[in-house]
Amino acid sequence: LRLALPQRSAFHLQKIEDGHLNNSLGSPVQADVYFPRLIVPFCGHIKGGMRPGKKILVMGIVDLNPESFGISLTCGESEDPPADVAIELKAVFTERQFVRNSCVAGEWGEEQSSIPYFPFIPDQPFRVEILCEHPRFRIFVDGHQLFDFYHRIETLSAIDTIKINGDLQLTKLG
């Protein structure tokens, strides 16, 4: 991928001897390492599925004028029939809610929405951690435990896919 940048650009890139790129502000940009793009909507595989003690990390930046975004852990990627959803987390900005639910055999369960506070701010970074424990998922946002969600899917190892969509940019997954 080669970008044509105008010569007068404030961020004109120049190749230098040691394999780095420098922008006009002098900060080095590594030229020979490329990371896969974290494009939204995102769908990725969770190696080995979930198990007690396993943690999923989602870091990103909320869009400037967000309506909502969602993070789902599912049993596969199937759309038809739809894969079981072990947990779907949805941040809804108009209602300042962080709702969660699951869908087993095509049936959505009872939605949960009580939270002590709404942790997401437009145009600001966030860190969501989903910790799998034996009876439940523990959800942390920016290091603070926000709520628990008890498993509705028995076979944790079947939970092998993460899907992320909505009004955010992903910066890191782990």
Side-chain angles (χ1 to χ4, degrees):
L1 176 69
R2 219 171 253 263
L3 299 174
L5 298 173
Q7 290 294 329
R8 299 186 206 287
S9 168
F11 295 99
H12 177 67
L13 299 175
Q14 298 174 335
K15 185 84 168 116
I16 57 175
E17 297 299 316
D18 65 359
H20 287 75
L21 295 173
N22 268 15
N23 66 24
S24 61
L25 302 176
S27 38
V29 181
Q30 186 68 37
D32 50 349
V33 178
Y34 296 99
F35 294 98
R37 304 254 331 245
L38 296 173
I39 302 289
V40 177
F42 177 87
C43 182
H45 184 71
I46 301 168
K47 190 175 181 190
M50 293 303 288
R51 64 179 181 279
K54 191 161 191 170
K55 188 190 306 186
I56 301 290
L57 169 68
V58 177
M59 293 175 68
I61 302 170
V62 178
D63 284 354
L64 186 57
N65 294 304
E67 288 181 27
S68 67
F69 69 81
I71 302 169
S72 299
L73 301 183
T74 65
C75 301
E77 298 179 38
S78 175
E79 300 290 335
D80 190 22
D84 284 348
V85 178
I87 184 169
E88 178 183 80
L89 304 169
K90 189 170 185 182
V92 183
F93 286 82
T94 50
E95 299 165 27
R96 297 181 59 77
Q97 288 195 317
F98 197 26
V99 296
R100 52 264 181 215
N101 205 345
S102 65
C103 184
V104 182
E107 296 289 320
W108 284 94
E110 185 178 333
E111 188 174 271
Q112 299 174 9
S113 62
S114 65
I115 47 173
Y117 63 96
F118 187 71
F120 303 104
I121 302 168
D123 204 30
Q124 292 297 309
F126 66 86
R127 174 188 181 105
V128 172
E129 293 170 274
I130 304 168
L131 174 63
C132 184
E133 293 184 344
H134 180 65
R136 68 191 162 222
F137 290 112
R138 286 219 131 133
I139 311 304
F140 297 82
V141 178
D142 298 328
H144 299 283
Q145 184 185 343
L146 207 56
F147 53 80
D148 291 344
F149 185 84
Y150 284 84
H151 296 304
R152 298 175 185 173
I153 292 202
E154 309 266 324
T155 312
L156 298 180
S157 61
I159 306 166
D160 64 358
T161 304
I162 181 168
K163 297 180 179 183
I164 302 169
N165 60 32
D167 302 320
L168 76 161
Q169 298 157 28
L170 288 175
T171 56
K172 182 177 180 181
L173 284 176

